[in-house]
Amino acid sequence: MSRIFVTGMGIVSAIGRSLVQNHLSLREGKCGIRNELDLFPSKYAGVLPFGTVPVSNNELRQTLHAQEPGVTRTSLLALHAFNEAIADSGLSPEQLANTDTALVGASTVSGMCLTDELYHDANKKEAGSPYLSSYDNAAVTLYLQNRFGMKGVINTINTACSSSANSIVYGANLIRHGLAKRAIVGGADSLAKFTINGFNSLHILSPDKCQPFDEQRKGLNLGEGAAFLVLEREEDTTGKKVYAEFTGHGNSNDAYHPSSLSDEGEGPYLSMKEALDRARLDPAQIGFINAHGTGTENNDLVESVAMIRLFKNPPAFASTKSNTGHTLGASGAIEAVYSILNLAEQEIYPGLRFEHPIAATGLIPVQSYQKTALQHVMSNSFGFGGNCSSLIFSTI
Amino acid sequence: MRPLFYIHQSSCISPQSSFEPVDIDQLFEPADNKLMAREPSYDGIPPGILRRMGKAVRIGVGAALPIIKGPAEINGIIIGTANGGMEDCIKFLNQIIQYEEGQLTPGNFVQSTPNGIAAQLGLISKNRSYNITHVHRGLSFENAAIDAAMQLADHQDNSYLLGAVDEISAYNYNIDWLGDWFKDENTGSGTLYNSGTKGSIAGEGAAMFLVNRQKENAAASIIAIKTLHTPDLNLVQQSLVNFLEQNLAEGERIDLLLSGENGDARIDPYYHACETLMGEGTTIARFKHLCGEFTTASAISCWLSCHILQQQRIPEHMLKRKGNPNALNRILVYNNYRGEQHGFMLLGRA
């Protein structure tokens, strides 16, 4: 079976509109979470902190030449990251439209960022908005498919907050099984009144900027963004820039509760362990973990417990959600990009605002920028419904 | 051709009598252009849990129960659903608007995530293995089936629960009605296919399958699957020609074309184009008058194919053109979602 290499990456988040900007922000420990929200009117605007991408929809439409009716912010963010990824990998329009190029996307919010339009279209028997076919999860992927005339296998995955981690896995599987030669994989989500009120009703939104793995953590901050990766077979990458190899993945359901993880962290433990087994690695070979680390009471404790169970002495770890906020369906892909930057640059970026270790586990995330030798990096994504996924990327 | 996998057990909740006892000769008609699922009593689900389930979760879990409560060890749960709990999703949205972002209860929000069906199935069967939900609109089930095929190629001894579900909610009916996807005139099974008008009738349902690579005692097999995104009719036709060339062995033919024709005059040309590629001996049958049009209707066609392959008989009301098959060995399903998403599935008698 072919080895799967990452040959292109594109990303937009609260800490940057390009791979280079995101990289610099991570190095500098920059936080993109702010007490400002001007994307739509909400009573939580100015009250709760959010990881907003500081670009308006109009500006996105103009710079991307995306004036099609029915295009949502989620699709615009996706297009922005997609464009950067395919340019980075040097894919031609012909390659994109070829039957052996797959596209696997993920979005949990999709067109639901248009709360008022959706409210109208779902409830009123009068003239529909231009967004009638923009609400479902597949709308973002289908927008990209249509715009680039893609004819390979196209799919969209939803495993809640681990969605785009599973998109990466599905794309790699398509390549390994000969159903595609290359796959563009990732996800996008934008801030929405729907998710803000949803997470608020569960009382897990922090009134302050989040503090992953801190004893005093008060919850998560919602963010937005998109990331896409280009995956190719080793034999097709001769002469191309290669960032890393995708070496392992695990998928397990915690089977405990619809919106929280079990005390012993069975799902997180199993997904990390399966990823190690598939990559044929011992726990000690993992040099860094980009943790799920949402900053909620439940996640950070359970993830710590599971890391201790598997690693005994967990490797260096941190959560980039302290930079970007929780980007939901996009977070798996965004954090895969960050993990690959760890490897490609041989450096570790600091988790922000950590003060006191969780008493029960005592784990301390990385708090300063470090230059270090890394061979294998793990990225965790855990979602509602118990959907836990772990990815491993390695230097080639 | 070695099949992608075998289907050992199948279970379906649909607008017809597809759940035990199965009787698909008797036809239940749509009301107000909607074919609603005939739901069983769900004896296997505790009442407290059942009450909190939205319809998509209920019919999905209900259809899967006979399989997950069965003796087979299940090594993963692979579900296709375009929308999951759409009703809960919009109920929560309506609360946000009506209560102006006040203190809301999280029940509908938690139930609204499309991965809720696979998650609930994992939860009630304490299944901690592979768990995933494909949400690719009209090709959600096909992608789930491709996923199952890849998992089984990697893990030859495993068994998976593969299935799909979507519901009619007042809300997605409204959105799709505004989008011109449903007929304005009152339509029954007798008038659906010959209306000459745009739109179809709404439907819903859940179909679940136990799949693995063991040939012994299998009910049917899935030999090949292909998906395509294009509005170009010629590309669709060419793609089908290639699909048959690659997947039919010397001397084999399609005994039955199960067509996803849905009465929408705008989509008919695609189905006719594919029909013309079938030999005269091929029987052509339709199924959307049984389950209505919805994003994962192809999963219902897969369940019907299993039933037909086992019974070696096609209900009269499904027939469009009678061929001359000696036996029903190969069924081709062609389903088209809104003229843009195309799925071909080739099924075989076990």
Side-chain angles (χ1 to χ4, degrees), chain A residues 121 136 156 176 252 255 387, chain B residues 115 126 128 136-137 154 174:
Chain A
D121 290 338
D136 64 359
T156 310
R176 287 195 306 111
S252 170
N387 280 121
Chain B
N115 66 327
K126 287 281 164 226
R128 296 196 173 86
H136 196 54
R137 199 174 287 175
D154 283 340
N174 203 63

Side-chain angles (χ1 to χ4, degrees), chain B residues 207-227:
Chain B
M208 297 283 161
F209 308 91
L210 179 69
V211 302
N212 61 38
R213 302 266 283 206
Q214 321 311 318
K215 190 176 194 301
E216 300 77 53
N217 304 318
S221 65
I222 291 195
I223 299 164
I225 302 168
K226 175 155 181 69
T227 62

